mmCIF file of all heavy atoms in Angstrom:
data_model
loop_
_atom_site.group_PDB
_atom_site.id
_atom_site.type_symbol
_atom_site.label_atom_id
_atom_site.label_comp_id
_atom_site.label_asym_id
_atom_site.label_seq_id
_atom_site.Cartn_x
_atom_site.Cartn_y
_atom_site.Cartn_z
ATOM 1 N N ALA A 1154 24.414 32.105 -22.207
ATOM 2 C CA ALA A 1154 23.388 31.071 -22.070
ATOM 3 C C ALA A 1154 23.529 30.397 -20.714
ATOM 4 O O ALA A 1154 24.619 30.278 -20.173
ATOM 5 C CB ALA A 1154 23.529 30.054 -23.191
ATOM 6 N N GLY A 1155 22.406 29.999 -20.154
ATOM 7 C CA GLY A 1155 22.405 29.322 -18.871
ATOM 8 C C GLY A 1155 21.945 30.236 -17.756
ATOM 9 O O GLY A 1155 21.439 31.334 -17.981
ATOM 10 N N LEU A 1156 22.116 29.780 -16.539
ATOM 11 C CA LEU A 1156 21.670 30.507 -15.355
ATOM 12 C C LEU A 1156 22.854 31.196 -14.696
ATOM 13 O O LEU A 1156 23.815 30.554 -14.291
ATOM 14 C CB LEU A 1156 21.020 29.548 -14.348
ATOM 15 C CG LEU A 1156 20.508 30.184 -13.061
ATOM 16 C CD1 LEU A 1156 19.338 31.126 -13.340
ATOM 17 C CD2 LEU A 1156 20.093 29.109 -12.061
ATOM 18 N N LYS A 1157 22.765 32.527 -14.595
ATOM 19 C CA LYS A 1157 23.783 33.304 -13.890
ATOM 20 C C LYS A 1157 23.262 33.565 -12.483
ATOM 21 O O LYS A 1157 22.137 34.022 -12.307
ATOM 22 C CB LYS A 1157 24.037 34.631 -14.604
ATOM 23 C CG LYS A 1157 25.071 35.508 -13.935
ATOM 24 C CD LYS A 1157 25.267 36.791 -14.721
ATOM 25 C CE LYS A 1157 26.287 37.688 -14.065
ATOM 26 N NZ LYS A 1157 26.441 38.948 -14.807
ATOM 27 N N VAL A 1158 24.079 33.275 -11.470
ATOM 28 C CA VAL A 1158 23.696 33.504 -10.074
ATOM 29 C C VAL A 1158 24.743 34.407 -9.449
ATOM 30 O O VAL A 1158 25.948 34.149 -9.571
ATOM 31 C CB VAL A 1158 23.607 32.176 -9.280
ATOM 32 C CG1 VAL A 1158 23.099 32.437 -7.873
ATOM 33 C CG2 VAL A 1158 22.713 31.169 -9.996
ATOM 34 N N GLU A 1159 24.272 35.479 -8.790
ATOM 35 C CA GLU A 1159 25.191 36.410 -8.135
ATOM 36 C C GLU A 1159 24.502 37.066 -6.943
ATOM 37 O O GLU A 1159 23.277 37.056 -6.831
ATOM 38 C CB GLU A 1159 25.693 37.464 -9.131
ATOM 39 C CG GLU A 1159 24.592 38.266 -9.764
ATOM 40 C CD GLU A 1159 25.074 39.117 -10.926
ATOM 41 O OE1 GLU A 1159 26.295 39.260 -11.118
ATOM 42 O OE2 GLU A 1159 24.220 39.645 -11.648
ATOM 43 N N VAL A 1160 25.308 37.648 -6.075
ATOM 44 C CA VAL A 1160 24.786 38.383 -4.929
ATOM 45 C C VAL A 1160 24.080 39.622 -5.453
ATOM 46 O O VAL A 1160 24.621 40.338 -6.300
ATOM 47 C CB VAL A 1160 25.917 38.791 -3.956
ATOM 48 C CG1 VAL A 1160 25.391 39.683 -2.854
ATOM 49 C CG2 VAL A 1160 26.591 37.574 -3.374
ATOM 50 N N ALA A 1161 22.869 39.878 -4.952
ATOM 51 C CA ALA A 1161 22.132 41.084 -5.335
ATOM 52 C C ALA A 1161 22.813 42.296 -4.709
ATOM 53 O O ALA A 1161 23.351 42.211 -3.604
ATOM 54 C CB ALA A 1161 20.686 40.981 -4.871
ATOM 55 N N PRO A 1162 22.795 43.444 -5.400
ATOM 56 C CA PRO A 1162 23.430 44.644 -4.840
ATOM 57 C C PRO A 1162 22.834 45.060 -3.495
ATOM 58 O O PRO A 1162 23.520 45.664 -2.680
ATOM 59 C CB PRO A 1162 23.170 45.722 -5.905
ATOM 60 C CG PRO A 1162 22.791 44.994 -7.143
ATOM 61 C CD PRO A 1162 22.250 43.675 -6.731
ATOM 62 N N ASP A 1163 21.573 44.722 -3.263
ATOM 63 C CA ASP A 1163 20.921 45.104 -2.004
ATOM 64 C C ASP A 1163 20.826 43.943 -1.016
ATOM 65 O O ASP A 1163 19.926 43.876 -0.192
ATOM 66 C CB ASP A 1163 19.537 45.696 -2.262
ATOM 67 C CG ASP A 1163 18.607 44.757 -3.015
ATOM 68 O OD1 ASP A 1163 19.097 43.788 -3.643
ATOM 69 O OD2 ASP A 1163 17.386 44.984 -2.994
ATOM 70 N N THR A 1164 21.810 43.030 -1.080
ATOM 71 C CA THR A 1164 21.844 41.937 -0.108
ATOM 72 C C THR A 1164 21.982 42.533 1.292
ATOM 73 O O THR A 1164 22.553 43.615 1.449
ATOM 74 C CB THR A 1164 22.989 40.945 -0.416
ATOM 75 O OG1 THR A 1164 22.741 39.724 0.274
ATOM 76 C CG2 THR A 1164 24.333 41.488 -0.022
ATOM 77 N N PRO A 1165 21.438 41.868 2.312
ATOM 78 C CA PRO A 1165 21.534 42.423 3.671
ATOM 79 C C PRO A 1165 22.982 42.642 4.101
ATOM 80 O O PRO A 1165 23.832 41.777 3.928
ATOM 81 C CB PRO A 1165 20.865 41.350 4.534
ATOM 82 C CG PRO A 1165 19.952 40.630 3.599
ATOM 83 C CD PRO A 1165 20.646 40.641 2.273
ATOM 84 N N ALA A 1166 23.234 43.836 4.628
ATOM 85 C CA ALA A 1166 24.558 44.173 5.141
ATOM 86 C C ALA A 1166 24.793 43.442 6.455
ATOM 87 O O ALA A 1166 23.847 43.058 7.145
ATOM 88 C CB ALA A 1166 24.656 45.684 5.359
ATOM 89 N N ALA A 1167 26.053 43.256 6.796
ATOM 90 C CA ALA A 1167 26.383 42.663 8.094
ATOM 91 C C ALA A 1167 25.747 43.520 9.180
ATOM 92 O O ALA A 1167 25.731 44.745 9.090
ATOM 93 C CB ALA A 1167 27.893 42.609 8.275
ATOM 94 N N GLY A 1168 25.189 42.872 10.181
ATOM 95 C CA GLY A 1168 24.526 43.615 11.248
ATOM 96 C C GLY A 1168 24.132 42.693 12.380
ATOM 97 O O GLY A 1168 24.718 41.627 12.566
#
Side-chain angles (χ1 to χ4, degrees):
L1156 180 66
K1157 180 179 180 182
V1158 185
E1159 58 191 349
V1160 174
D1163 58 342
T1164 198

